[in-house]
């Protein structure tokens, strides 16, 4: 006779030990468990140089493969059975998962670059408006290809506009009293509620809009009484106003955009990270359960009555069972240890087992809440048919 066990994975065939020990009804199966590694911010701290070197989906996928392989080195030996062609480790990942992975690393690159951007002192704010000093073209284009990182795109657009607006050029004329009138005019006009702010003007009309606003001083219907100002003097007035008033304003604005873009990138990274972790957990659960896959000869010894019971257990590949079959409520596999918990109306039973001899032996103990306890010894008869 045989009974099959599993839901999400493992099936067991045999006259099950609990039916022999307690004459109990069937019971359900659970899932394997694994540990995840550190969160995105720590990854960026520990691997910043490698992460900031990424500039394409291809590079991100290759780095992810090396990185994940290093993080999840198997803590247990392979079984003696031969892997099938195109085995688990070489199976291709879906397009959806590839997009999740590349988006995650693009978000990490974005966070790293913005953190570098925000670390620049205001005295070096000229560097702030030259994105090419932080990002190479391929990396910039790669990040911009990710729709979920659109705030970073806006940050770069404003940087580009400001790189045109804020050139470093010397003032060729001394600034006389006329400049103070020019500055007062724009300070007062900018404070009125019916006019766009300088940042809104930059976003909506760009550099031409700002230049047109600055030239309004000399286009008034009632211009101030002052000597004629040459075009070069006008440019000096504009340059001085931009340096003294607008540069600090735009520097603060740019840093605020950086915070917004970093916040968005953090949210994208965490969302992608969770999806990658869920996939990783499923993969590790599958690999862990596959270690039990196959036919086993089990010997169960009950210390209460010193009786031995021999049975054959068959563990089938994950995902091939029906919910109506006899199943444990919990299966946890950590390294070589296997924990089984069974829940039924009369009580619970816990099995603590150890895989050994390249997964051909399975030995340990069981304890039942009703009193029975003893040992379990298993020997693999045949591997799972892949």
């Amino acid at each position: 006779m045989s009974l099959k066990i599993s839901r999400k994975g493992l099936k067991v065939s045999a006259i099950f030990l609990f039916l022999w020990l307690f004459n109990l009804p069937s019971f359900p199966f659970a899932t394997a468990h694994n540990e995840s590694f550190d969160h995105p911010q720590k990854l960026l701290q520990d691997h910043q140089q490698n992460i900031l070197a990424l500039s394409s989906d291809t590079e991100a996928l290759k780095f992810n493969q090396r990185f994940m392989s290093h993080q999840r080195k198997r803590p247990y030996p392979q079984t003696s059975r031969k892997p099938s062609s195109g085995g688990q480790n070489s199976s291709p990942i879906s397009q959806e998962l590839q997009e999740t992975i590349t988006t995650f690393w693009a978000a990490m690159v974005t966070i790293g670059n913005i953190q570098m951007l925000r670390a620049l002192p205001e005295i070096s704010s000229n560097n702030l408006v030259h994105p090419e000093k932080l990002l190479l073209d391929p990396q910039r284009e790669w990040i911009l290809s990710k729709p979920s990182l659109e705030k970073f795109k806006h940050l770069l657009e404003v940087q580009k506009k400001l790189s045109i607006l804020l050139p470093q050029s010397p003032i060729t004329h001394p600034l006389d009293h006329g400049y103070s009138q020019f500055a007062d005019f724009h300070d007062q006009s900018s404070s009125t509620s019916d006019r766009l702010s300088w940042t809104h003007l930059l976003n909506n009309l760009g550099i031409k809009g700002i230049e047109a606003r600055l030239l309004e001083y000399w286009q008034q219907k009632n211009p101030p009484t002052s000597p004629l100002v040459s075009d070069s003097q006008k440019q000096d007035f504009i340059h001085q106003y931009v340096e003294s008033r607008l540069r600090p304003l735009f520097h603060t604005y740019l840093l605020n955009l950086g915070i917004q873009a970093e916040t968005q990138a953090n949210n994208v990274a965490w969302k992608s990270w969770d999806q990658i972790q869920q996939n990783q957990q499923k993969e590790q659960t599958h690999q862990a359960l596959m270690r039990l896959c196959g036919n086993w000869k089990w010997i169960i010894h009950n210390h209460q009555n010193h009786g031995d019971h021999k049975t054959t257990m068959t563990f089938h590949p994950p995902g091939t069972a029906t919910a109506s079959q006899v199943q444990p409520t919990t299966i946890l596999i950590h390294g070589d240890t296997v924990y089984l918990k069974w829940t039924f109306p009369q009580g619970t039973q816990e099995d603590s087992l150890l895989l050994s001899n390249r997964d051909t032996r399975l030995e340990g103990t069981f304890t039942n809440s009703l009193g029975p306890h003893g040992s379990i010894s298993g020997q693999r008869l045949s591997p799972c048919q892949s």
Side-chain angles (χ1 to χ4, degrees), residues 140-213:
R140 182 166 58 251
E141 294 304 316
W142 177 49
I143 296 174
L144 294 180
S145 71
K146 305 300 180 184
S148 55
L149 299 173
E150 70 274 4
K151 289 188 180 295
F152 188 72
K153 178 180 180 180
H154 181 51
L155 172 65
L156 293 185
E157 289 173 346
V158 173
Q159 280 183 311
K160 184 175 180 180
K161 292 176 181 178
L162 293 180
S163 66
I164 300 172
L165 175 66
L166 305 177
Q168 285 188 323
S169 57
I171 295 175
T172 57
H173 299 83
L175 298 175
D176 54 20
H177 180 65
Y179 172 74
S180 61
Q181 293 178 320
F182 169 83
D184 289 342
F185 171 81
H186 285 296
D187 290 345
Q188 294 174 9
S189 64
S190 297
S191 63
T192 59
S193 59
D194 60 339
R195 292 171 69 85
L196 289 174
S197 67
W198 290 108
T199 55
H200 280 81
L201 196 64
L202 177 68
N203 286 323
N204 295 339
L205 299 177
I207 303 305
K208 291 185 178 179
I210 291 179
E211 291 177 343
R213 169 77 67 84

Side-chain angles (χ1 to χ4, degrees), residues 26-289:
S26 23
F27 31 84
F29 167 88
T31 60
H33 174 74
N34 59 46
E35 297 179 356
S36 61
F37 39 90
D38 293 322
H39 57 77
Q41 284 293 345
K42 190 170 190 308
L43 291 182
L44 186 57
Q45 294 173 10
D46 295 344
H47 307 278
Q48 184 178 48
Q49 184 175 357
N50 291 329
I51 292 174
L52 292 182
L54 301 175
S55 60
S56 70
D57 284 354
T58 300
E59 292 179 3
L61 289 172
K62 288 181 179 179
F63 177 74
N64 185 79
Q65 184 179 20
R66 294 194 304 269
F67 178 80
M68 293 298 184
S69 297
H70 175 73
Q71 291 291 329
R72 62 182 185 229
K73 287 181 179 177
R74 290 169 65 93
Y76 46 82
Q78 297 283 353
T79 65
S80 57
R81 64 185 184 273
K82 295 181 180 179
S84 60
S85 59
Q88 299 171 24
N89 293 335
S90 60
S91 59
I93 61 177
S94 67
Q95 185 63 39
E96 181 181 2
L97 182 56
Q98 288 187 42
E99 181 60 31
T100 300
I101 290 172
T102 57
T103 298
F104 169 75
W105 291 114
M108 296 290 282
V109 172
T110 302
I111 295 169
N113 277 289
I114 293 176
Q115 288 177 349
M116 292 171 59
L117 175 71
R118 292 198 291 109
L120 291 174
E122 186 170 356
I123 193 172
S124 302
S125 59
N126 187 61
N127 295 332
L128 197 64
V129 298
H130 290 282
E132 67 276 4
K133 294 192 176 184
L134 292 177
L135 290 167
L136 298 177
D137 288 340
Q139 191 175 71
R140 182 166 58 251
E141 294 304 316
W142 177 49
I143 296 174
L144 294 180
S145 71
K146 305 300 180 184
S148 55
L149 299 173
E150 70 274 4
K151 289 188 180 295
F152 188 72
K153 178 180 180 180
H154 181 51
L155 172 65
L156 293 185
E157 289 173 346
V158 173
Q159 280 183 311
K160 184 175 180 180
K161 292 176 181 178
L162 293 180
S163 66
I164 300 172
L165 175 66
L166 305 177
Q168 285 188 323
S169 57
I171 295 175
T172 57
H173 299 83
L175 298 175
D176 54 20
H177 180 65
Y179 172 74
S180 61
Q181 293 178 320
F182 169 83
D184 289 342
F185 171 81
H186 285 296
D187 290 345
Q188 294 174 9
S189 64
S190 297
S191 63
T192 59
S193 59
D194 60 339
R195 292 171 69 85
L196 289 174
S197 67
W198 290 108
T199 55
H200 280 81
L201 196 64
L202 177 68
N203 286 323
N204 295 339
L205 299 177
I207 303 305
K208 291 185 178 179
I210 291 179
E211 291 177 343
R213 169 77 67 84
L214 291 170
L215 289 172
E216 286 179 0
Y217 175 75
W218 293 287
Q219 298 168 352
Q220 303 174 71
K221 292 183 179 179
N222 299 312
T225 57
S226 60
L228 294 178
V229 179
S230 65
D231 288 342
S232 61
Q233 286 179 308
K234 291 179 181 179
Q235 290 302 314
D236 284 346
F237 282 14
I238 290 174
H239 176 77
Q240 179 61 24
Y241 192 82
V242 167
E243 287 295 317
S244 62
R245 302 292 207 281
L246 299 188
R247 181 182 287 276
L249 173 67
F250 289 142
H251 181 274
T252 302
Y253 176 58
L254 204 59
L255 291 180
N256 183 58
L257 292 181
I259 293 173
Q260 294 179 27
E262 183 179 3
T263 300
Q264 182 185 61
N266 267 303
N267 291 336
V268 170
W270 273 107
K271 181 179 179 181
S272 302
W273 177 257
D274 286 342
Q275 293 173 352
I276 294 172
Q277 289 292 286
Q278 290 173 14
N279 181 80
Q280 172 71 1
Q281 289 173 358
K282 290 179 181 178
E283 179 184 345
Q284 291 182 349
T285 296
H286 178 92
Q287 292 178 353
L289 294 178

